[in-house]
Amino acid sequence: MPQSVPSLPRRVARILRTSLFAQVACALVLGIVVGRLWPGVATDLKPLGDGFTRLIKTIISPLVFCVVVVGIAKAGDLKAFGRIGLKALIWFEVASTTALIIGLIAANVVQPGSGMHVDPSALSAKAVDAKTGGGSLPSTTEFIVNALPTSFIGAFAENSLLQVLILACLVGAALLHLGHTKVPQVLPAVEQAQEIIFAIVGFVMRLAPIAVFGAMAVLIGQYGLGVIETYAKLIVLCYAAAALFIVLLAVALRVVTGLSLWKFLRYIREEMLLALGTASTESVMPRVMQKLRKAGARDDAVGLVLPTGYSFNLDGASLYLSIGTLFIAQAVGVDLSPGQQLTVVLVLMLTSKGMAGVPGSAFLALSATATSLGVIPAGAVALLLGVDRIMDSMRVTTNLLGNCVAVFAVSRWEGALDTVRAKKVLDGEIAFVPEEGQEAGAATTVRPAVKEAASEAG
């Protein structure tokens, strides 16, 4: 007898039950509807998104630590790890500077703030101070010093990724120096801890649709859709500039690795939609690390490049900052000379590196830039308060894709990328299976390689 075809409702129910992408997409739509129809109720849903983000943040530092330590041990070469770090920093600087320049060119051509004729005397910096909590961005020296841990436990407690990275490098180097014979149980223990963390990631990710629903409802409930009409020119310009930058990323990825950015975007569509819904790239870092490793990027490259990019490679933020600086200057009637615009690039090249984890960092960077120019009132930054949250989708998408492309490019540059496997994964020939579902296989296949690398180093 021929098999009966499931009815449409059953097929839809099955997709919703098994597909994280479908669940998050439905939650996104529901969040918009609730925020639009019941804005008062929507603002009370904020703990849903915040709670999910907090859960994810608790596992980011230990995950990065485990991946980096195991990656160094598997590579068996600390010099190679140093080369990966140096090449990553070079890539980050080129990419973020390119984003800044694209933003400046776009703002000069389109002039999004022209015609607004805002009276500078009517603007107050108090609203910006409230947004940033009166804080400030660290100086270059402070940023470097703060990246050095003062306590092993403190680095994890404060969730400081750069400090955790440094500790992981030191531990990995020590394991290579001592070799497997002196510390035979450490590497297996780190690997087992890594497997536990990935299992926790799997548990937490089941809450992703709830988080997206709450975050999107709050966004629409607080800001509504009217802000889009008010700042339509600026919003369209930022998203168009981001689209152009992503095209350049696609070209760079194809030239350097031969991979397709479109296929990669399809591969991480669930994580991308979750990042858009929660307005946070941190919420998807564990899963993206997992998927990059499955796609042929070596553990040490993924463990170093991706977390470092969260501090040094904020391409979407760089685009927004350069366009935003010219927007507020045009809005208050200040015509910036080419020399002053060069100053904007130089200042933002520094301030954008210390933005990660600082509340209201975009406004702090804009205020620092305005102050360095001396011709834009500090209160003018408040013009972007109403539209800043709408820009999160652009920043999140561009930042995430920029850092993923950096992982592939640097891995290929260092010979740490299995391009054959990467193409098969992106083509769908090799299905992605979350690691929490294959602990036994991972334990039996990875550990011998780590032991061998450690014994050779010893």
Side-chain angles (χ1 to χ4, degrees):
M1 295 179 61
Q3 293 181 348
S4 60
V5 178
S7 63
L8 179 59
R10 287 193 174 187
R11 291 201 300 268
V12 172
R14 182 178 180 276
I15 292 173
L16 288 176
R17 188 175 64 254
T18 59
S19 172
L20 179 63
F21 179 81
Q23 294 169 6
V24 172
C26 288
L28 198 69
V29 174
L30 287 175
I32 294 174
V33 172
V34 171
R36 183 72 178 89
L37 298 180
W38 303 285
V41 175
T43 53
D44 295 331
L45 300 176
K46 193 172 186 295
L48 296 180
D50 291 348
F52 176 81
T53 304
R54 289 170 71 94
L55 285 174
I56 287 291
K57 284 184 176 181
T58 60
I59 55 180
I60 287 179
S61 290
L63 174 61
V64 169
F65 179 82
C66 292
V67 170
V68 171
V69 171
V70 174
I72 293 177
K74 287 178 65 176
D77 184 0
L78 197 60
K79 291 182 179 179
F81 198 72
R83 290 197 304 269
I84 290 174
L86 178 60
K87 291 173 181 178
L89 291 177
I90 293 172
W91 180 277
F92 293 159
E93 196 56 53
V94 172
S96 56
T97 303
T98 301
L100 287 171
I101 293 173
I102 289 176
L104 282 182
I105 293 174
N108 276 293
V109 171
V110 178
Q111 300 278 319
S114 61
M116 294 187 69
H117 306 298
V118 176
D119 181 8
S121 62
L123 299 173
S124 172
K126 292 183 179 179
V128 177
D129 291 337
K131 177 75 173 181
T132 60
S136 61
L137 290 175
S139 65
T140 303
T141 303
E142 290 174 337
F143 178 71
I144 294 173
V145 172
N146 290 338
L148 301 176
T150 57
S151 164
F152 199 101
I153 303 300
F156 290 88
E158 296 171 5
N159 223 12
S160 175
L161 281 185
L162 291 181
Q163 292 184 12
V164 171
L165 274 173
I166 291 176
L167 288 173
C169 292
L170 292 174
V171 172
L175 290 177
L176 284 178
H177 175 71
L178 293 173
H180 174 64
T181 56
K182 292 185 178 181
V183 283
Q185 301 302 320
V186 175
L187 284 176
V190 174
E191 280 194 283
Q192 290 167 13
Q194 178 178 281
E195 291 166 9
I196 292 173
I197 293 168
F198 275 124
I200 296 173
V201 171
F203 299 151
V204 176
M205 287 299 292
R206 295 175 185 176
L207 303 175
I210 299 174
V212 169
F213 168 74
M216 189 54 59
V218 171
L219 170 63
I220 302 301
Q222 282 186 342
Y223 298 97
L225 300 176
V227 68
I228 298 178
E229 298 177 5
T230 305
Y231 290 92
K233 192 174 182 181
L234 175 63
I235 293 172
V236 171
L237 176 61
C238 286
Y239 278 84
L244 173 60
F245 182 78
I246 290 173
V247 169
L248 294 180
L249 283 178
V251 173
L253 182 64
R254 175 70 73 176
V255 170
V256 176
T257 68
L259 302 178
S260 166
L261 185 61
W262 168 250
K263 291 181 179 178
F264 177 73
L265 185 57
R266 186 175 59 189
Y267 175 57
I268 63 163
R269 61 186 181 276
E270 296 170 347
E271 291 72 26
M272 184 61 71
L273 197 59
L274 175 58
L276 290 173
T278 58
S280 169
T281 53
E282 284 187 336
S283 64
V284 297
M285 180 193 283
R287 283 268 295 199
V288 170
M289 290 181 71
Q290 205 173 350
K291 285 198 167 182
L292 287 169
R293 294 166 66 213
K294 295 295 183 184
R298 210 167 64 195
D299 284 10
D300 52 346
V302 174
L304 180 62
V305 178
L306 189 66
T308 307
Y310 273 56
S311 293
F312 288 90
N313 192 39
L314 303 175
D315 298 327
S318 298
L319 270 170
Y320 172 63
L321 291 173
S322 56
I323 293 175
T325 301
L326 263 66
F327 168 78
I328 60 178
Q330 294 161 3
V332 298
V334 175
D335 185 20
L336 297 180
S337 67
Q340 289 171 322
Q341 293 192 31
L342 177 61
T343 302
V344 169
V345 173
L346 295 176
V347 172
L348 290 178
M349 282 174 62
L350 296 175
T351 56
S352 63
K353 300 298 183 292
M355 288 175 56
V358 179
S361 56
F363 292 97
L364 292 173
L366 287 169
S367 299
T369 306
T371 302
S372 67
L373 293 173
V375 293
I376 302 176
V381 177
L383 290 171
L384 292 172
L385 282 171
V387 75
D388 182 70
R389 185 65 175 82
I390 303 297
M391 296 299 184
D392 278 342
S393 297
M394 178 274 292
R395 290 193 294 245
V396 163
T397 302
T398 312
N399 288 346
L400 184 57
L401 286 178
N403 284 321
C404 290
V405 169
V407 171
F408 280 125
V410 174
S411 298
R412 176 65 172 173
W413 194 0
E414 182 57 27
L417 176 65
D418 185 345
T419 53
V420 175
R421 178 179 177 83
K423 289 179 180 179
K424 287 182 178 180
V425 169
L426 299 188
D427 287 337
E429 297 178 22
I430 300 177
F432 170 74
V433 180
E435 290 189 20
E436 63 269 15
Q438 54 179 32
E439 291 91 350
T444 56
T445 57
V446 176
R447 193 168 299 137
V450 178
K451 289 181 179 179
E452 182 181 351
S455 62
E456 289 176 358

